[in-house]
Amino acid sequence: LVKFTLQVSQREPIYKAFKKLGEKSTFDKLTLAQQRIVESNLIEAELSGIALEGEKKERFNEIQQELAKLSTTFGNNQLDCTE
């Protein structure tokens, strides 16, 4: 599931479309709500590692998958503690 989520959040065509919407000439024509959506999606994409390439992107994805695994293990351990 984490791998799929990363693949979706790192989709180049979607990022490029939002990047284009974020250009000043287009961005200024958007409503405030639309501007917030564009900004939010750009930030989310960049935080998901879309700007990384090659080995850096692979390493980022490995770390994200390991983090998800550790988070699940931690949550399961917390549940076991409360029984």
Side-chain angles (χ1 to χ4, degrees), residues 3-81:
K3 188 175 182 179
F4 174 76
T5 303
L6 286 170
Q7 288 174 342
V8 170
S9 64
Q10 294 176 350
R11 297 284 312 253
E12 280 288 325
I14 295 170
Y15 177 69
K16 286 180 181 179
F18 276 110
K19 197 81 161 150
K20 185 137 181 93
L21 286 172
E23 293 174 359
K24 184 153 180 59
S25 60
T26 308
F27 190 76
D28 291 342
K29 296 176 185 174
L30 301 175
T31 66
L32 287 176
Q34 291 170 327
Q35 289 176 354
R36 283 193 298 268
I37 291 169
V38 169
E39 289 173 337
S40 174
N41 278 281
L42 285 172
I43 290 170
E44 184 179 325
E46 289 166 4
L47 291 175
S48 73
I50 195 150
L52 300 173
E53 294 182 14
E55 289 181 21
K56 289 182 179 182
K57 184 179 262 187
E58 288 176 27
R59 181 68 182 134
F60 177 85
N61 289 339
E62 289 171 4
I63 291 169
Q64 289 297 102
Q65 289 179 32
E66 181 66 19
L67 182 60
K69 181 180 171 185
L70 292 170
S71 179
T72 299
T73 301
F74 179 78
N76 289 340
N77 289 340
Q78 278 185 313
L79 288 174
D80 290 345
C81 263

